[in-house]
C-alpha cells in the first residue's frame, strides 16, 4: 500500500468535539472537525470501529455509485431536499477522490457501483483510522453512551465503571436499529425521546420478505437466484435479480423495491409484488412461443425450450399459478409477464441491511443540529431517512457537511 499522507489540520481553534459512534458517519465527522481545528475525541461502545461497515464490505465494499449526479439524487426519495446540498458538495466523485487520498484506488463495476480495487472494507478502514490518528483524534472503545447527567455531561458505561465527558460540540452517530450484534442497537432512541426529541419508530429498509412457500419449493429452490426479472410494486418497477430463501425472498432487486413493498404492507396488512419472468420479451412474443405444439414435452420442458426459463423460474410458475391457467397458453403468457407473489411480512428488523425511522427531520436544523439541544448534532442512519443499496447509504452517511455552518 502506498504511503498515506493525512491532511494537515488547521491551526487549533481551541474548541473540543465529542463524536459518539465510530461508524462511517462518525468517523467522517471526526475527520472534518479535526481538519477544522477541533480537538476530537471519539467514543465507541464496541471493542473496535466500523463493525457494520466491515460486515457490509465482507462480500465487496460498495462505496458509492457512478451514475450521473441528478439520477443519483433521486435515490434519496423524500429526504432528497434535506440531503441534496450536502451530496452536491461531497458526492460520488468526491468520495472516490477521498478514497484515493487514503491510498485506496476504486473501480466501477458492471452495475455502475463503485468498489475499492481490493474489494474489502478493512484496508480502507485501517487507512482512515491512521489518518484520524494523524489529525490528533483519540478513540475510546468500550465506552457505551447512556445519556446525559444533570450537569449536561455525556455519560458512558465502561469496563472500569461510569465516566462523564463534555465538549463544545457533540456529534451523535449511533446508527439505526438493525444488526444489533455489531453495535447498532437503537437504544439511544429512548434517551432522546426522554429529552423531548421526536423520533419515529424504526422500520426495516433494504430487507427481505416472508412468503408462504410450499415445502416442495423450499427443497427445490431455496438459495437459488431468479434472474433476470422485473419486480413491480405500485408505481415502482426494478429490474435485476433476487434469491429464493427458506423464508421468502431477498437480494438486490427486492431491497431496491423494499420501501414501497414494506409501506404497502404497513398500510394494508397485505402486499403483493408482481414478477415479469421474461423482461426481454413482450407479451405477444411469449404468447406466440407458448402456443407452439409441445408434443410429448412436459410443460417444464416446453417453458425451457420456448422461453429459456430455468428450473427455478418454472418452479415459481407452478407454485403460484392455478392449473387452469397453466393449461391455457394465452393466460399462462400473461401470468409469466405479471406473476403475483403475495408477501406475508417483512423480515425482522434486526436482519435488515438498514433501517428507516429515527430522529425526525423537524427536530434538526439545516446543519443537522438538534434544535432543542444547541451544539448537539445527529448524523447518519439514526436520522429518519433511507436509501437503497448500491452505495447510496454509505454516500449519504459520508456527505453530511456540517462544518460549513458551524
Amino acid at each position: 500500500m502506498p504511503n498515506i499522507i493525512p491532511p494537515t489540520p488547521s491551526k487549533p481553534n481551541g474548541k473540543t468535539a465529542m463524536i459518539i459512534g465510530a461508524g462511517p458517519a462518525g468517523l467522517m465527522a471526526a475527520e472534518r472537525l479535526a481538519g477544522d481545528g477541533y480537538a476530537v475525541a471519539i467514543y465507541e461502545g464496541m471493542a473496535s470501529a466500523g463493525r457494520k461497515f466491515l460486515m457490509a464490505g465482507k462480500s465487496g465494499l460498495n462505496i458509492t455509485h457512478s451514475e450521473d449526479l441528478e439520477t443519483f439524487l433521486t435515490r434519496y426519495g423524500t429526504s432528497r431536499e434535506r440531503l441534496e446540498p450536502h451530496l452536491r458538495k461531497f458526492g460520488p466523485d468526491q468520495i472516490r477522490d477521498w478514497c484515493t487520498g487514503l491510498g485506496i484506488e476504486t473501480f466501477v463495476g458492471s452495475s455502475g457501483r463503485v468498489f475499492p480495487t481490493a474489494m474489502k472494507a478493512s484496508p480502507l478502514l485501517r487507512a482512515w483510522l491512521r489518518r484520524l490518528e494523524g489529525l490528533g483524534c483519540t478513540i475510546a472503545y468500550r465506552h457505551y453512551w447512556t445519556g446525559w447527567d444533570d450537569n449536561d455531561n455525556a455519560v458512558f458505561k465502561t469496563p472500569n465503571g461510569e465516566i462523564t465527558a463534555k465538549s463544545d460540540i457533540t456529534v451523535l452517530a449511533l446508527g439505526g436499529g438493525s444488526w444489533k450484534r455489531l453495535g447498532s442497537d437503537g437504544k439511544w432512541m429512548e434517551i432522546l425521546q426522554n429529552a423531548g426529541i421526536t423520533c419515529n419508530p424504526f422500520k426495516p429498509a433494504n430487507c427481505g420478505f416472508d412468503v408462504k412457500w410450499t415445502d416442495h419449493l423450499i427443497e427445490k429452490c431455496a438459495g437459488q437466484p431468479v434472474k433476470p426479472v422485473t419486480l413491480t410494486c405500485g408505481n415502482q418497477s426494478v429490474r435485476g435479480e433476487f434469491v429464493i430463501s427458506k423464508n421468502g425472498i431477498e437480494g438486490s432487486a427486492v431491497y431496491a423495491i423494499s420501501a414501497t413493498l414494506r409501506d404497502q404492507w404497513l398500510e394494508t396488512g397485505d402486499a403483493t409484488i408482481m414478477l415479469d419472468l421474461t423482461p426481454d420479451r413482450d407479451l405477444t412474443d411469449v404468447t406466440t412461443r407458448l402456443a407452439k405444439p409441445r408434443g410429448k414435452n412436459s410443460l417444464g420442458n416446453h417453458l425451457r425450450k420456448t422461453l429459456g426459463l430455468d428450473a427455478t423460474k418454472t418452479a415459481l410458475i407452478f407454485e403460484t399459478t392455478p392449473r387452469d391457467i397453466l393449461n391455457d397458453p394465452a393466460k399462462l403468457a400473461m401470468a409469466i409477464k405479471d406473476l403475483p407473489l403475495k408477501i406475508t411480512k417483512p423480515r425482522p428488523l434486526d436482519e435488515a441491511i438498514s433501517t428507516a425511522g429515527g430522529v425526525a427531520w423537524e427536530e434538526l436544523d439545516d446543519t443537522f443540529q438538534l434544535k432543542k439541544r444547541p451544539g448537539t448534532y445527529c448524523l447518519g442512519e439514526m436520522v429518519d431517512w433511507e436509501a437503497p443499496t448500491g452505495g447510496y447509504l454509505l454516500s449519504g452517511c459520508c456527505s453530511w457537511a456540517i462544518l460549513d455552518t458551524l
Side-chain angles (χ1 to χ4, degrees):
M1 180 177 293
N3 292 327
I4 299 169
I5 303 174
T8 302
S10 61
K11 184 178 179 180
N13 62 20
K15 295 182 179 180
T16 58
M18 180 192 313
I19 313 294
I20 304 178
L27 296 180
M28 188 61 77
E31 180 176 335
R32 293 175 182 177
L33 287 164
D36 204 42
Y38 284 78
V40 176
I42 305 168
Y43 296 87
E44 167 57 43
M46 303 298 284
S48 58
R51 290 200 170 191
K52 188 174 179 181
F53 177 72
L54 290 172
M55 180 62 74
K58 197 170 183 180
S59 58
L61 179 65
N62 182 196
I63 301 169
T64 188
H65 204 287
S66 65
E67 64 193 358
D68 68 275
L69 184 59
E70 297 308 314
T71 302
F72 185 88
L73 292 170
T74 66
R75 310 303 185 187
Y76 294 89
T78 57
S79 295
R80 172 177 175 170
E81 183 178 353
R82 297 299 298 264
L83 298 178
E84 181 171 347
H86 308 279
L87 288 164
R88 287 191 179 278
K89 292 172 185 174
F90 197 76
D93 290 343
Q94 291 76 25
I95 288 175
R96 295 189 71 182
D97 290 342
W98 172 79
C99 288
T100 301
L102 287 173
I104 305 296
E105 297 301 320
T106 60
F107 74 96
V108 179
S110 58
S111 64
R113 299 182 181 198
V114 177
F115 302 89
T117 303
M119 293 298 288
K120 298 178 181 179
S122 51
L124 190 152
L125 181 60
R126 287 195 298 268
W128 200 355
L129 293 175
R130 287 198 297 269
R131 170 176 284 183
L132 293 174
E133 182 180 5
L135 287 167
C137 299
T138 62
I139 304 182
Y141 295 112
R142 294 191 176 93
H143 280 57
Y144 186 89
W145 183 65
T146 59
W148 295 282
D149 65 15
D150 293 340
N151 296 316
D152 213 29
N153 297 304
V155 181
F156 297 92
K157 181 173 65 176
T158 81
N160 298 317
E162 191 174 89
I163 70 161
T164 61
K166 200 163 190 175
S167 60
D168 293 304
I169 67 169
T170 298
V171 175
L172 301 178
L174 291 157
S178 63
W179 295 18
K180 293 179 182 179
R181 68 190 185 279
L182 302 178
S184 299
D185 61 15
K187 291 182 179 179
W188 53 263
M189 187 179 285
E190 184 177 355
I191 299 170
L192 295 189
Q193 288 174 326
N194 289 339
I197 296 163
T198 301
C199 296
N200 298 321
F202 286 127
K203 298 183 290 186
N206 294 295
C207 60
F209 293 84
D210 284 351
V211 177
K212 289 184 178 178
W213 299 128
T214 61
D215 291 341
H216 175 74
L217 185 117
I218 293 173
E219 182 180 351
K220 186 178 180 66
C221 297
Q224 295 301 310
V226 180
K227 62 179 181 180
V229 64
T230 297
L231 285 65
T232 300
C233 181
N235 295 323
Q236 185 183 10
S237 292
V238 174
R239 176 169 171 150
E241 63 181 85
F242 67 90
V243 175
I244 294 174
S245 68
K246 292 181 179 180
N247 299 306
I249 56 174
E250 58 187 41
S252 57
V254 172
Y255 303 152
I257 207 168
S258 62
T260 303
L261 190 58
R262 175 204 65 211
D263 289 346
Q264 183 185 104
W265 179 81
L266 287 172
E267 290 170 9
T268 66
D270 191 18
T272 299
I273 192 169
M274 309 303 294
L275 310 178
D276 180 354
L277 298 178
T278 58
D280 295 320
R281 301 185 189 278
D282 61 24
L283 178 60
T284 299
D285 182 42
V286 173
T287 304
T288 300
R289 289 170 179 272
L290 287 179
K292 293 179 180 179
R294 75 185 201 198
K296 295 182 180 180
N297 286 316
S298 66
L299 179 55
N301 277 334
H302 188 58
L303 292 170
R304 178 177 58 82
K305 290 181 177 181
T306 58
L307 296 174
L309 298 186
D310 61 20
T312 304
K313 286 186 175 181
T314 299
L316 268 178
I317 294 169
F318 290 160
E319 177 82 0
T320 58
T321 309
R323 184 172 294 276
D324 63 313
I325 293 179
L326 290 175
N327 293 327
D328 184 321
K331 291 181 179 178
L332 178 57
M334 293 178 66
I336 289 171
K337 293 295 293 180
D338 206 21
L339 192 73
L341 188 60
K342 187 174 182 179
I343 304 304
T344 59
K345 64 180 186 300
R347 292 297 298 161
L349 182 70
D350 197 47
E351 293 182 14
I353 292 175
S354 59
T355 51
V359 178
W361 278 119
E362 59 264 27
E363 295 287 354
L364 304 172
D365 67 15
D366 289 341
T367 69
F368 310 111
Q369 180 177 218
L370 285 168
K371 296 174 183 177
K372 296 171 184 173
R373 287 191 63 88
T376 299
Y377 299 78
C378 294
L379 301 183
E381 202 179 333
M382 67 182 296
V383 179
D384 187 6
W385 66 287
E386 61 182 310
T389 57
Y392 308 109
L393 286 166
L394 187 55
S395 293
C397 287
C398 290
S399 70
W400 305 48
I402 61 171
L403 290 186
D404 292 343
T405 46
L406 281 180

